[in-house]
Amino acid sequence: MRLRALLDTDALGLRLLGGEDELDRTVRGVMTTDLRDPSRYLSGGELVLTGLAWRRDAADSDAFVRILVQAGVAALAAGEAELGDVPDDLVLACTRNRLPLFAVHESVAFATITEHVVRQVSGERAGDLAAVVDRHRRMMTSGPAGGGPDVVLDLLGSDLDLRAWVLSPTGRLIAGSKTSGPALPADICAKLAAEHLAAVRTGRRGPHRLTLGSTTYSLFPVRSSGRSPQASRDVRETVLSDWLLAVEADAGDWPEERLDLLQGVTQLIAVERDRRDAARTVRRRLAQEILELVQTGAAPAEIAARLRVAAPVLLPGLGAAPHWQVVVARVEWDGGDVEGGTVAQSLLEEILVDPLAGGTEPSDRIAVAHTGDEAIALVPLPAVSTEHDGSETGILADVLLESVRDPLAAGLDDDGRVTLGVSAAVHSAEGLRGALEEARHARRVAAARPGRVCAAGHQELASHVLLLPFVPDDVRRAFTARLLDPLRDYDRRHRAELIPTLEAFLDCDGSWTRCATRLHLHVNTLRYRVGRIEQLTSRDLSRLEDKLDFFLALRMS
């Protein structure tokens, strides 16, 4: 479609602010973003929709527009809901760079524009596509109460006689149409997710097909923000978080019109995915604030106050503060060229949702922060039951592992690894620091095991990990000074970075190759540093006892 056609549709509420000479440009897609640099998600020809959250001052506009122009987008549409009138500096930047600019009236949802562009770009070449998209408008404009992905799948069933389901990358059933009959069994969902992840990792072109028994399924990726398969710098950045649309049909002999229909439907489902991701922003911020308080040794009263704020957000209607568990995850890729923190964050947000709870809300109530390569989940438990032996139950590591192992192993292929650690439930703010240390140590136990996906729980830990936060301060100081002061003094005199080297060496479980890669060092340089650490402390880092002493000293320092 042409940009000019957008102005002819009154329902879109678009007002041209600049670029009248460029209105014959062709629009090939649509993307909604508030990232300061969305270039990795752009493939060219998009109408970019933005709420201007990326703009902090006037200087940001020119940089943002130049990124869009370099990516070859067709035009920019800025919403007026947040800032009112579109800033003059953005208008000038678009004029200088010959980028058409539209203002979107505050009464018009981006979802409405997205739906219109998807329909027009497809050219309305199939009557069934027009029927689905036209009826879908009602759902999109009514907000979350309109039914979400389930409504789209109902239309596929009623109009096209297609049974379809939306699945998470771990095989959780997110949505299914009423006409799809009984819900897909969990083992079928897991196999479909595993096939999809394996196909994505090997670069096979979709839709991917899998026959189970006498039934053939076609699998279509649902990529957030209108991303194309080529838009991400590395498929490993998103492979463990993208949803998929599973259709009970063999798409191998479908005409282009029918394939276009399904691609359009995945874009409409992606709008719901984006809405879900936006809702997670508040929970992520709460988790980050609580994590920082816990790690910096804030007073329990201050942490408790933040927990009281978090409880109503995570568990609406709960009268009292719940119990809490901490889950720590790490995603590591060979070579270390892909950061694992954000990947682990998205993954934890997915796998900690109750696998029996479909949809995006209200089951999605987990707060997850990330720091470095590690993601940390704060999991509220409205009630904690006690077994006959006196042990408390909540999230169990082995149950968590069983539900996600096979699909994730397919997505990790032969160059990735996921390790998980689960703490015991705690009843107050005073216990969170111990729970965090407990979950981290449990993850280390998991990392020592073979396999692509491993988990360990608090039941497998020695009691000293749980007691670390309660060691008296004078004992802490004496213990850590004896082990670490010689290294700190040497670092001050020679800038040798022995302390960071020691932390990384232990964090890599004594692996010379992984540690050298993480520190960007030659292995021989790493061996020299470790040798210097052993010489200064009279310890041997090949001995478990000495490793444990250093581990405790670093954690208590």
Side-chain angles (χ1 to χ4, degrees), residues 332 417-420 440-451 454-456 506-510 514 544:
E332 296 174 292
R417 198 154 190 253
V418 172
T419 49
L420 302 162
R440 280 175 165 162
H441 192 63
R443 192 208 63 79
R444 291 176 182 275
V445 171
R449 296 171 175 167
C454 299
L506 295 176
D507 201 38
C508 291
D509 303 308
R514 285 170 52 205
L544 177 60

Side-chain angles (χ1 to χ4, degrees), residues 31-35 48-54 64 76-79 90 110:
M31 174 193 175
T32 300
T33 185
D34 277 315
L35 296 174
V48 173
L49 307 174
T50 181
L52 301 176
W54 49 265
F64 183 76
L76 174 65
L90 181 58
F110 283 175

Side-chain angles (χ1 to χ4, degrees), residues 287-368:
Q288 198 71 45
E289 291 172 355
I290 294 169
L291 174 63
E292 290 174 1
L293 290 174
V294 171
Q295 293 193 129
T296 56
E302 186 177 0
I303 299 174
R306 296 307 300 162
L307 289 176
R308 285 194 293 273
V309 172
V313 175
L314 301 179
L315 289 171
L318 191 66
H323 297 33
W324 304 90
Q325 275 183 284
V326 175
V327 181
V328 172
R330 179 165 291 196
V331 177
E332 296 174 292
W333 303 99
D334 290 353
D337 53 341
V338 176
E339 293 185 2
T342 54
V343 178
Q345 182 181 44
S346 296
L347 186 60
L348 268 188
E349 286 172 334
E350 166 54 41
I351 67 177
L352 290 176
V353 174
D354 182 353
L356 299 179
T360 57
E361 296 290 346
S363 60
D364 187 5
R365 297 295 182 187
I366 308 301
V368 186

Side-chain angles (χ1 to χ4, degrees), residues 12-241:
L12 298 184
L14 295 178
R15 182 164 49 90
L16 183 65
L17 300 181
E20 185 174 359
D21 295 336
E22 306 293 332
L23 290 180
D24 286 328
R25 291 186 181 184
T26 300
V27 179
R28 294 195 291 271
V30 62
M31 174 193 175
T32 300
T33 185
D34 277 315
L35 296 174
R36 295 171 67 84
D37 180 5
S39 58
R40 73 176 72 177
Y41 306 127
L42 295 169
S43 56
E46 295 92 349
L47 169 66
V48 173
L49 307 174
T50 181
L52 301 176
W54 49 265
R55 182 184 177 276
R56 297 173 184 171
D57 55 47
D60 292 336
S61 292
D62 193 67
F64 183 76
V65 169
R66 280 190 280 106
I67 288 171
L68 300 188
V69 171
Q70 290 169 6
V73 306
L76 174 65
E80 296 179 324
E82 291 295 328
L83 300 180
D85 292 339
V86 176
D88 291 340
D89 49 89
L90 181 58
V91 177
L92 291 173
C94 289
T95 300
R96 282 195 300 268
N97 290 278
R98 300 181 62 83
L99 180 67
L101 175 64
F102 299 95
V104 182
H105 193 271
E106 63 181 2
S107 64
V108 179
F110 283 175
T112 300
I113 300 173
T114 298
E115 175 269 328
H116 178 82
V117 172
V118 169
R119 182 184 64 187
Q120 295 299 325
V121 168
S122 70
E124 297 181 285
R125 288 176 294 177
D128 52 13
L129 174 60
V132 170
V133 175
D134 283 342
R135 280 199 250 168
H136 184 260
R137 178 192 296 276
R138 294 195 299 273
M139 184 276 291
M140 294 300 295
T141 56
S142 62
D150 301 271
V151 172
V152 186
L153 302 184
D154 284 342
L155 294 176
L156 285 177
S158 61
D159 287 26
L160 308 180
D161 196 27
L162 287 176
R163 287 160 46 89
W165 303 265
V166 178
L167 305 178
S168 77
T170 61
R172 182 174 69 90
L173 184 62
I174 294 171
S177 68
K178 297 182 180 66
T179 58
S180 295
L184 280 180
D187 61 327
I188 298 295
C189 292
K191 290 176 181 177
L192 294 177
E195 171 64 19
H196 171 73
L197 292 177
V200 171
R201 284 308 314 275
T202 55
R204 282 186 279 156
R205 186 173 181 177
H208 315 302
R209 289 172 290 163
L210 176 65
T211 299
L212 298 175
S214 59
T215 304
T216 298
Y217 299 89
S218 296
L219 311 175
F220 298 80
V222 177
R223 294 186 173 90
S224 182
S225 300
R227 280 183 281 118
S228 67
Q230 293 80 25
S232 178
R233 292 175 298 182
D234 192 312
V235 69
R236 294 175 294 178
E237 295 177 354
T238 57
V239 67
L240 299 183
S241 59

